[in-house]
Amino acid sequence: MLIPPPSEEAGKKERVVILGSGWAGYGLAQTIKPSKAERVLISPRSHFVFTPLLASTTVGTLEFRSAVEPVRRLGLDEFHQAWADDIDFANKTIRLEGNTQSGTAGSKTATTRDTEKGPMFDITYDKLVIAVGCYSQTFGIEGVAQHASFLRDVGDAREIRLKVLTAFEKADLPSTSDEHRKELLNFAIVGGGPTGIEFAAELHDLVHEDLAKLYPALMKFVQVTVYDVAPKVLPMFDQNLANYAMDLFRRQGIQVKTETSLQSIRREGDVLKLSVKGEDKDVGAGLLVWSTGLTQNPLVASLLKHDIKGLGRIVKDPRTGGITTDDHMRVLTQQTEDGPRTPLPDVYAIGDCTVQPGNRLPATAQVASQQATWLGKRINSGDIDTAPGFSFRNWGAMAYLGSKRAIHQNGADSLKGWPAWILWRTAYLTKSMSWRNKVKIPAQWLITGLFGRDISRF
């Protein structure tokens, strides 16, 4: 079945198809004015996730729907919950596979695609924007894909919350030995970036502000450990702020093990056994959250192999394997390795799956959001090719550290402690995409502060 572009008919608006509903794709669909273009969004999930607050949902500080924005509320001309399977650039046609999974509805990080194929159909475009993001990188370590929990979507957060609360319930059983309790209540996080550090901080708050009152006898068995292969966690912050974070973690009882790598993970009963470099024996853990590294979306890897008539192939970035674009977000092609680079007509790419040579930017929500805003405004104005190129404005970095403490850095300016925590909450509240969540988030913060977190298992 082929869904044709209405713009072929006289007087119709240009049909812009966006692949992805992350910071880049959702932000672009939100920026493009309905009066300027027909907006078509394709994504295997039906929502956008406000990732900076995802760690808060894993422990009940916020409820899951506070970090989610339904895609259909954007008032799109079309939305299809599907994966892009292939793209025919010559005929401006996209082959899609419908996401018919009912269990997770595309809200949980998967390391493999379901073997059951969804319905296949084609759509066409006038302009195409590739914003499919990246997948979690497991580095081929044995057992990670099968046993680790990721933290990239709301389904992941729900799974982590259930595992944490289940570990406490199992540890509280009279039949559980002290040695088994120690393993069940050892929570491991791999990755010393903001996601891993913030999850460790949120978990600390849950344990010491809520669970300590309900399971006082188990507190001596609880351990939160962060592993990272780098010599320093939070590499985007200066040494002074990173040291402040590590000092606070030590006082909170959170272990941070740098220059340490995991070699394999296996399941033994209801605990995971971690083979850690430098450890004499395997470490038992009730939960392992994997929050390190990115790898390219399989669609990107597939597109880079396409031979496009008269243009060659899309230029692959040698370091990340991503799509190379110019500063106008146009996808670049090249017929020979040393030949000139030519934009692929009417095809753009933004977000984590792209790289601009000479202007390498981090794969962050901040970058993807600004690229989406720039491209959306250009589509509204009709001056993509003539407008000045995209320029990134760094608004700084923030990380929550637990106990109502945070750090913030913007160039030479920095802030830490309680004032940084106030800034952290204020910034993310104002960045929330809808007024609906701008009201829900502070209301839930207030409820949590007054009555504690919800620890129900469901």
Side-chain angles (χ1 to χ4, degrees):
M1 180 177 65
L2 178 65
I3 302 176
S7 53
E8 290 179 356
E9 302 173 22
K12 289 289 184 179
K13 295 173 290 186
E14 194 168 46
R15 180 180 173 90
V16 179
V17 176
I18 304 163
L19 302 182
S21 62
W23 282 93
Y26 185 91
L28 177 62
Q30 190 177 47
T31 304
I32 296 175
K33 295 179 180 179
S35 61
K36 298 297 183 180
E38 183 181 349
R39 301 170 300 158
V40 180
L41 195 142
I42 310 298
S43 176
R45 64 186 187 187
S46 63
H47 56 275
F48 160 80
V49 179
F50 193 82
T51 48
L53 295 179
L54 201 54
S56 295
T57 69
T58 64
V59 299
T61 305
L62 292 174
E63 281 308 312
F64 302 112
R65 293 190 185 277
S66 298
V68 168
E69 300 286 355
V71 166
R72 289 189 180 274
R73 286 186 181 272
L74 289 173
L76 302 165
D77 294 279
E78 287 180 39
F79 168 69
H80 300 293
Q81 189 167 352
W83 290 280
D85 196 62
D86 199 7
I87 301 172
D88 182 347
F89 295 110
N91 295 309
K92 292 190 171 184
T93 303
I94 309 168
R95 184 72 169 164
L96 301 176
E97 177 192 343
N99 179 10
T100 55
Q101 296 177 0
S102 59
T104 62
S107 68
K108 186 175 179 297
T109 299
T111 52
T112 58
R113 282 277 290 277
D114 198 318
T115 54
E116 182 184 347
K117 296 284 285 186
M120 306 296 292
F121 58 99
D122 295 340
I123 67 168
T124 56
Y125 66 86
D126 294 321
K127 278 187 170 60
L128 171 65
V129 183
I130 303 170
V132 293
C134 289
Y135 281 21
S136 293
Q137 173 68 276
T138 63
F139 303 102
I141 297 173
E142 181 185 348
V144 172
Q146 295 79 16
H147 305 304
S149 297
F150 300 92
L151 188 50
R152 296 175 61 82
D153 211 328
V154 68
D156 301 329
R158 184 188 297 277
E159 177 187 82
I160 289 170
R161 187 196 291 196
L162 184 60
K163 285 183 176 180
V164 170
L165 297 176
T166 300
F168 273 88
E169 289 297 338
K170 287 181 178 179
D172 195 46
L173 294 174
S175 58
T176 306
S177 67
D178 285 353
E179 186 61 32
H180 194 192
R181 288 182 175 119
K182 187 176 180 181
E183 291 184 328
L184 281 169
L185 300 180
N186 179 30
F187 303 106
I189 299 111
V190 177
T195 301
I197 293 297
E198 289 190 342
F199 172 69
E202 294 280 4
L203 183 57
H204 164 272
D205 287 355
L206 169 68
V207 169
H208 292 276
E209 294 175 8
D210 296 272
L211 299 182
K213 302 171 186 175
L214 305 171
Y215 306 93
L218 296 181
M219 288 304 103
K220 61 184 177 181
F221 301 108
V222 178
Q223 180 61 60
V224 179
T225 307
V226 179
Y227 298 93
D228 199 282
V229 295
K232 168 183 176 252
V233 297
L234 297 171
M236 65 290 301
F237 293 92
D238 65 30
Q239 193 62 50
N240 179 49
L241 290 178
N243 289 342
Y244 171 81
M246 293 307 93
D247 181 59
L248 181 59
F249 267 28
R250 278 191 294 271
R251 285 186 277 124
Q252 293 178 147
I254 301 173
Q255 287 188 5
V256 177
K257 297 187 176 183
T258 55
E259 298 182 284
T260 304
S261 60
L262 265 66
Q263 297 177 314
S264 67
I265 305 166
R266 60 185 174 85
R267 178 167 291 284
E268 192 173 287
D270 54 4
V271 297
L272 300 176
K273 293 291 186 175
L274 318 180
S275 176
V276 182
K277 189 175 181 180
E279 297 283 352
D280 296 332
K281 61 179 182 178
D282 289 353
V283 178
L287 171 72
L288 172 70
V289 175
W290 189 268
S291 177
T292 181
L294 296 174
T295 189
Q296 287 302 331
N297 188 298
L299 174 68
V300 171
S302 172
L303 296 179
L304 292 171
K305 298 175 183 177
H306 281 207
D307 287 309
I308 306 166
K309 188 176 180 180
L311 294 170
R313 292 188 175 186
I314 295 173
V315 180
K316 175 182 177 180
D317 178 67
R319 280 172 54 183
T320 67
I323 295 171
T324 300
T325 69
D326 61 14
D327 61 357
H328 287 69
M329 313 302 169
R330 297 173 294 197
V331 172
L332 297 178
T333 62
Q334 198 172 33
Q335 297 201 46
T336 62
E337 189 174 336
D338 300 322
R341 296 183 174 185
T342 307
L344 181 57
D346 297 319
V347 180
Y348 307 85
I350 54 178
D352 296 353
C353 65
T354 68
V355 174
Q356 292 180 22
N359 184 30
R360 289 187 174 272
L361 298 170
T364 64
Q366 190 177 164
V367 172
S369 178
Q370 290 188 33
Q371 288 178 335
T373 300
W374 183 91
L375 185 59
K377 289 180 177 179
R378 300 283 67 79
I379 290 173
N380 291 338
S381 303
D383 62 353
I384 295 178
D385 297 326
T386 58
F390 170 75
S391 178
F392 173 62
R393 182 175 181 181
N394 192 346
W395 292 101
M398 292 184 289
Y400 178 59
L401 304 177
S403 304
K404 297 182 175 59
R405 301 289 185 272
I407 52 176
H408 167 74
Q409 182 173 327
N410 187 0
D413 298 328
S414 64
L415 193 64
K416 60 187 178 183
W418 187 78
W421 174 71
I422 295 295
L423 177 63
W424 180 87
R425 282 202 161 183
T426 303
Y428 287 143
L429 177 60
T430 57
K431 285 289 183 180
S432 294
M433 295 292 192
S434 68
W435 280 106
R436 174 174 162 268
N437 278 347
K438 280 181 169 67
V439 172
K440 287 175 64 177
I441 290 169
Q444 289 180 5
W445 279 336
L446 178 61
I447 291 170
T448 298
L450 292 175
F451 305 110
R453 296 168 178 84
D454 181 9
I455 59 158
S456 303
R457 290 194 300 144
F458 55 88

PDB file of all heavy atoms in Angstrom, residues 170-193:
ATOM      1  N   LYS A 170      12.021  -9.392  48.517  1.00  0.00           N
ATOM      2  CA  LYS A 170      12.695 -10.687  48.621  1.00  0.00           C
ATOM      3  C   LYS A 170      13.675 -10.703  49.793  1.00  0.00           C
ATOM      4  O   LYS A 170      13.777 -11.693  50.531  1.00  0.00           O
ATOM      5  CB  LYS A 170      13.435 -11.002  47.316  1.00  0.00           C
ATOM      6  CG  LYS A 170      12.533 -11.380  46.163  1.00  0.00           C
ATOM      7  CD  LYS A 170      13.354 -11.711  44.921  1.00  0.00           C
ATOM      8  CE  LYS A 170      12.461 -12.148  43.767  1.00  0.00           C
ATOM      9  NZ  LYS A 170      13.251 -12.456  42.551  1.00  0.00           N
ATOM     10  N   ALA A 171      14.410  -9.594  49.948  1.00  0.00           N
ATOM     11  CA  ALA A 171      15.394  -9.525  51.028  1.00  0.00           C
ATOM     12  C   ALA A 171      14.733  -9.537  52.403  1.00  0.00           C
ATOM     13  O   ALA A 171      15.354  -9.954  53.396  1.00  0.00           O
ATOM     14  CB  ALA A 171      16.254  -8.273  50.871  1.00  0.00           C
ATOM     15  N   ASP A 172      13.484  -9.117  52.468  1.00  0.00           N
ATOM     16  CA  ASP A 172      12.789  -9.035  53.759  1.00  0.00           C
ATOM     17  C   ASP A 172      12.188 -10.370  54.193  1.00  0.00           C
ATOM     18  O   ASP A 172      11.746 -10.507  55.337  1.00  0.00           O
ATOM     19  CB  ASP A 172      11.686  -7.972  53.671  1.00  0.00           C
ATOM     20  CG  ASP A 172      11.159  -7.563  55.039  1.00  0.00           C
ATOM     21  OD1 ASP A 172      11.985  -7.314  55.945  1.00  0.00           O
ATOM     22  OD2 ASP A 172       9.932  -7.517  55.203  1.00  0.00           O
ATOM     23  N   LEU A 173      12.182 -11.348  53.309  1.00  0.00           N
ATOM     24  CA  LEU A 173      11.616 -12.647  53.667  1.00  0.00           C
ATOM     25  C   LEU A 173      12.469 -13.329  54.737  1.00  0.00           C
ATOM     26  O   LEU A 173      13.709 -13.295  54.658  1.00  0.00           O
ATOM     27  CB  LEU A 173      11.529 -13.545  52.427  1.00  0.00           C
ATOM     28  CG  LEU A 173      10.552 -13.103  51.328  1.00  0.00           C
ATOM     29  CD1 LEU A 173      10.690 -14.011  50.113  1.00  0.00           C
ATOM     30  CD2 LEU A 173       9.123 -13.083  51.840  1.00  0.00           C
ATOM     31  N   PRO A 174      11.855 -13.974  55.710  1.00  0.00           N
ATOM     32  CA  PRO A 174      12.619 -14.656  56.771  1.00  0.00           C
ATOM     33  C   PRO A 174      13.527 -15.759  56.232  1.00  0.00           C
ATOM     34  O   PRO A 174      14.553 -16.077  56.846  1.00  0.00           O
ATOM     35  CB  PRO A 174      11.534 -15.243  57.676  1.00  0.00           C
ATOM     36  CG  PRO A 174      10.307 -14.438  57.387  1.00  0.00           C
ATOM     37  CD  PRO A 174      10.402 -14.042  55.961  1.00  0.00           C
ATOM     38  N   SER A 175      13.167 -16.330  55.093  1.00  0.00           N
ATOM     39  CA  SER A 175      13.953 -17.421  54.519  1.00  0.00           C
ATOM     40  C   SER A 175      15.207 -16.956  53.787  1.00  0.00           C
ATOM     41  O   SER A 175      16.027 -17.784  53.375  1.00  0.00           O
ATOM     42  CB  SER A 175      13.079 -18.226  53.555  1.00  0.00           C
ATOM     43  OG  SER A 175      12.562 -17.380  52.530  1.00  0.00           O
ATOM     44  N   THR A 176      15.363 -15.640  53.610  1.00  0.00           N
ATOM     45  CA  THR A 176      16.509 -15.104  52.871  1.00  0.00           C
ATOM     46  C   THR A 176      17.709 -14.958  53.801  1.00  0.00           C
ATOM     47  O   THR A 176      17.605 -14.341  54.865  1.00  0.00           O
ATOM     48  CB  THR A 176      16.176 -13.744  52.234  1.00  0.00           C
ATOM     49  OG1 THR A 176      14.998 -13.873  51.438  1.00  0.00           O
ATOM     50  CG2 THR A 176      17.320 -13.250  51.374  1.00  0.00           C
ATOM     51  N   SER A 177      18.850 -15.498  53.397  1.00  0.00           N
ATOM     52  CA  SER A 177      20.069 -15.402  54.211  1.00  0.00           C
ATOM     53  C   SER A 177      20.677 -14.011  54.103  1.00  0.00           C
ATOM     54  O   SER A 177      20.401 -13.265  53.155  1.00  0.00           O
ATOM     55  CB  SER A 177      21.090 -16.434  53.751  1.00  0.00           C
ATOM     56  OG  SER A 177      21.553 -16.120  52.442  1.00  0.00           O
ATOM     57  N   ASP A 178      21.529 -13.676  55.069  1.00  0.00           N
ATOM     58  CA  ASP A 178      22.190 -12.369  55.047  1.00  0.00           C
ATOM     59  C   ASP A 178      23.075 -12.213  53.817  1.00  0.00           C
ATOM     60  O   ASP A 178      23.158 -11.121  53.226  1.00  0.00           O
ATOM     61  CB  ASP A 178      23.029 -12.181  56.318  1.00  0.00           C
ATOM     62  CG  ASP A 178      22.167 -11.887  57.537  1.00  0.00           C
ATOM     63  OD1 ASP A 178      20.939 -11.700  57.365  1.00  0.00           O
ATOM     64  OD2 ASP A 178      22.710 -11.839  58.656  1.00  0.00           O
ATOM     65  N   GLU A 179      23.740 -13.279  53.412  1.00  0.00           N
ATOM     66  CA  GLU A 179      24.600 -13.215  52.220  1.00  0.00           C
ATOM     67  C   GLU A 179      23.772 -12.935  50.972  1.00  0.00           C
ATOM     68  O   GLU A 179      24.161 -12.145  50.112  1.00  0.00           O
ATOM     69  CB  GLU A 179      25.367 -14.530  52.060  1.00  0.00           C
ATOM     70  CG  GLU A 179      26.393 -14.510  50.939  1.00  0.00           C
ATOM     71  CD  GLU A 179      27.483 -13.466  51.142  1.00  0.00           C
ATOM     72  OE1 GLU A 179      27.835 -13.179  52.300  1.00  0.00           O
ATOM     73  OE2 GLU A 179      27.969 -12.926  50.118  1.00  0.00           O
ATOM     74  N   HIS A 180      22.594 -13.578  50.895  1.00  0.00           N
ATOM     75  CA  HIS A 180      21.706 -13.349  49.761  1.00  0.00           C
ATOM     76  C   HIS A 180      21.140 -11.931  49.801  1.00  0.00           C
ATOM     77  O   HIS A 180      20.988 -11.272  48.756  1.00  0.00           O
ATOM     78  CB  HIS A 180      20.581 -14.379  49.778  1.00  0.00           C
ATOM     79  CG  HIS A 180      19.816 -14.453  48.506  1.00  0.00           C
ATOM     80  ND1 HIS A 180      18.625 -15.136  48.377  1.00  0.00           N
ATOM     81  CD2 HIS A 180      20.045 -13.907  47.279  1.00  0.00           C
ATOM     82  CE1 HIS A 180      18.179 -15.021  47.156  1.00  0.00           C
ATOM     83  NE2 HIS A 180      19.013 -14.276  46.452  1.00  0.00           N
ATOM     84  N   ARG A 181      20.825 -11.439  50.996  1.00  0.00           N
ATOM     85  CA  ARG A 181      20.330 -10.054  51.129  1.00  0.00           C
ATOM     86  C   ARG A 181      21.365  -9.054  50.614  1.00  0.00           C
ATOM     87  O   ARG A 181      21.026  -8.069  49.945  1.00  0.00           O
ATOM     88  CB  ARG A 181      19.999  -9.755  52.591  1.00  0.00           C
ATOM     89  CG  ARG A 181      18.748 -10.448  53.109  1.00  0.00           C
ATOM     90  CD  ARG A 181      18.464 -10.072  54.547  1.00  0.00           C
ATOM     91  NE  ARG A 181      17.199 -10.651  54.982  1.00  0.00           N
ATOM     92  CZ  ARG A 181      17.062 -11.509  55.980  1.00  0.00           C
ATOM     93  NH1 ARG A 181      18.136 -11.890  56.676  1.00  0.00           N
ATOM     94  NH2 ARG A 181      15.874 -11.986  56.292  1.00  0.00           N
ATOM     95  N   LYS A 182      22.616  -9.305  50.930  1.00  0.00           N
ATOM     96  CA  LYS A 182      23.683  -8.404  50.504  1.00  0.00           C
ATOM     97  C   LYS A 182      23.770  -8.336  48.983  1.00  0.00           C
ATOM     98  O   LYS A 182      24.020  -7.269  48.414  1.00  0.00           O
ATOM     99  CB  LYS A 182      25.018  -8.873  51.098  1.00  0.00           C
ATOM    100  CG  LYS A 182      26.169  -7.920  50.865  1.00  0.00           C
ATOM    101  CD  LYS A 182      27.432  -8.407  51.557  1.00  0.00           C
ATOM    102  CE  LYS A 182      28.594  -7.451  51.321  1.00  0.00           C
ATOM    103  NZ  LYS A 182      29.839  -7.933  51.965  1.00  0.00           N
ATOM    104  N   GLU A 183      23.543  -9.472  48.333  1.00  0.00           N
ATOM    105  CA  GLU A 183      23.577  -9.492  46.871  1.00  0.00           C
ATOM    106  C   GLU A 183      22.325  -8.843  46.283  1.00  0.00           C
ATOM    107  O   GLU A 183      22.420  -8.038  45.346  1.00  0.00           O
ATOM    108  CB  GLU A 183      23.709 -10.930  46.371  1.00  0.00           C
ATOM    109  CG  GLU A 183      25.056 -11.560  46.664  1.00  0.00           C
ATOM    110  CD  GLU A 183      25.189 -12.951  46.081  1.00  0.00           C
ATOM    111  OE1 GLU A 183      24.167 -13.662  45.999  1.00  0.00           O
ATOM    112  OE2 GLU A 183      26.321 -13.320  45.700  1.00  0.00           O
ATOM    113  N   LEU A 184      21.164  -9.174  46.815  1.00  0.00           N
ATOM    114  CA  LEU A 184      19.912  -8.601  46.302  1.00  0.00           C
ATOM    115  C   LEU A 184      19.899  -7.085  46.388  1.00  0.00           C
ATOM    116  O   LEU A 184      19.370  -6.399  45.505  1.00  0.00           O
ATOM    117  CB  LEU A 184      18.722  -9.166  47.085  1.00  0.00           C
ATOM    118  CG  LEU A 184      18.243 -10.569  46.726  1.00  0.00           C
ATOM    119  CD1 LEU A 184      17.240 -11.052  47.772  1.00  0.00           C
ATOM    120  CD2 LEU A 184      17.598 -10.589  45.333  1.00  0.00           C
ATOM    121  N   LEU A 185      20.471  -6.537  47.452  1.00  0.00           N
ATOM    122  CA  LEU A 185      20.407  -5.095  47.702  1.00  0.00           C
ATOM    123  C   LEU A 185      21.673  -4.365  47.281  1.00  0.00           C
ATOM    124  O   LEU A 185      21.917  -3.236  47.702  1.00  0.00           O
ATOM    125  CB  LEU A 185      20.101  -4.842  49.180  1.00  0.00           C
ATOM    126  CG  LEU A 185      18.776  -5.442  49.664  1.00  0.00           C
ATOM    127  CD1 LEU A 185      18.545  -5.136  51.137  1.00  0.00           C
ATOM    128  CD2 LEU A 185      17.601  -4.937  48.828  1.00  0.00           C
ATOM    129  N   ASN A 186      22.463  -5.022  46.432  1.00  0.00           N
ATOM    130  CA  ASN A 186      23.594  -4.348  45.800  1.00  0.00           C
ATOM    131  C   ASN A 186      23.130  -3.890  44.420  1.00  0.00           C
ATOM    132  O   ASN A 186      22.817  -4.707  43.553  1.00  0.00           O
ATOM    133  CB  ASN A 186      24.791  -5.284  45.665  1.00  0.00           C
ATOM    134  CG  ASN A 186      25.969  -4.603  44.993  1.00  0.00           C
ATOM    135  OD1 ASN A 186      26.151  -3.394  45.117  1.00  0.00           O
ATOM    136  ND2 ASN A 186      26.764  -5.364  44.266  1.00  0.00           N
ATOM    137  N   PHE A 187      23.048  -2.581  44.235  1.00  0.00           N
ATOM    138  CA  PHE A 187      22.556  -2.007  42.979  1.00  0.00           C
ATOM    139  C   PHE A 187      23.735  -1.413  42.218  1.00  0.00           C
ATOM    140  O   PHE A 187      24.403  -0.496  42.710  1.00  0.00           O
ATOM    141  CB  PHE A 187      21.494  -0.955  43.258  1.00  0.00           C
ATOM    142  CG  PHE A 187      20.332  -1.489  44.062  1.00  0.00           C
ATOM    143  CD1 PHE A 187      20.174  -1.151  45.396  1.00  0.00           C
ATOM    144  CD2 PHE A 187      19.417  -2.356  43.487  1.00  0.00           C
ATOM    145  CE1 PHE A 187      19.122  -1.648  46.144  1.00  0.00           C
ATOM    146  CE2 PHE A 187      18.356  -2.863  44.222  1.00  0.00           C
ATOM    147  CZ  PHE A 187      18.210  -2.513  45.556  1.00  0.00           C
ATOM    148  N   ALA A 188      23.994  -1.958  41.024  1.00  0.00           N
ATOM    149  CA  ALA A 188      25.155  -1.544  40.231  1.00  0.00           C
ATOM    150  C   ALA A 188      24.725  -0.672  39.066  1.00  0.00           C
ATOM    151  O   ALA A 188      23.712  -0.948  38.416  1.00  0.00           O
ATOM    152  CB  ALA A 188      25.901  -2.776  39.720  1.00  0.00           C
ATOM    153  N   ILE A 189      25.488   0.374  38.812  1.00  0.00           N
ATOM    154  CA  ILE A 189      25.254   1.275  37.683  1.00  0.00           C
ATOM    155  C   ILE A 189      26.543   1.341  36.880  1.00  0.00           C
ATOM    156  O   ILE A 189      27.603   1.625  37.441  1.00  0.00           O
ATOM    157  CB  ILE A 189      24.845   2.695  38.138  1.00  0.00           C
ATOM    158  CG1 ILE A 189      23.543   2.651  38.937  1.00  0.00           C
ATOM    159  CG2 ILE A 189      24.695   3.624  36.950  1.00  0.00           C
ATOM    160  CD1 ILE A 189      23.696   2.964  40.385  1.00  0.00           C
ATOM    161  N   VAL A 190      26.463   1.077  35.593  1.00  0.00           N
ATOM    162  CA  VAL A 190      27.627   1.172  34.722  1.00  0.00           C
ATOM    163  C   VAL A 190      27.487   2.432  33.882  1.00  0.00           C
ATOM    164  O   VAL A 190      26.549   2.558  33.099  1.00  0.00           O
ATOM    165  CB  VAL A 190      27.763  -0.068  33.817  1.00  0.00           C
ATOM    166  CG1 VAL A 190      28.952   0.086  32.873  1.00  0.00           C
ATOM    167  CG2 VAL A 190      27.921  -1.330  34.656  1.00  0.00           C
ATOM    168  N   GLY A 191      28.426   3.364  34.069  1.00  0.00           N
ATOM    169  CA  GLY A 191      28.390   4.631  33.345  1.00  0.00           C
ATOM    170  C   GLY A 191      28.408   5.806  34.294  1.00  0.00           C
ATOM    171  O   GLY A 191      27.486   5.958  35.105  1.00  0.00           O
ATOM    172  N   GLY A 192      29.439   6.618  34.204  1.00  0.00           N
ATOM    173  CA  GLY A 192      29.582   7.747  35.108  1.00  0.00           C
ATOM    174  C   GLY A 192      29.191   9.078  34.502  1.00  0.00           C
ATOM    175  O   GLY A 192      29.646  10.133  34.956  1.00  0.00           O
ATOM    176  N   GLY A 193      28.322   9.045  33.493  1.00  0.00           N
ATOM    177  CA  GLY A 193      27.786  10.280  32.929  1.00  0.00           C
ATOM    178  C   GLY A 193      26.598  10.765  33.743  1.00  0.00           C
ATOM    179  O   GLY A 193      26.248  10.160  34.766  1.00  0.00           O
TER     180      GLY A 193
END
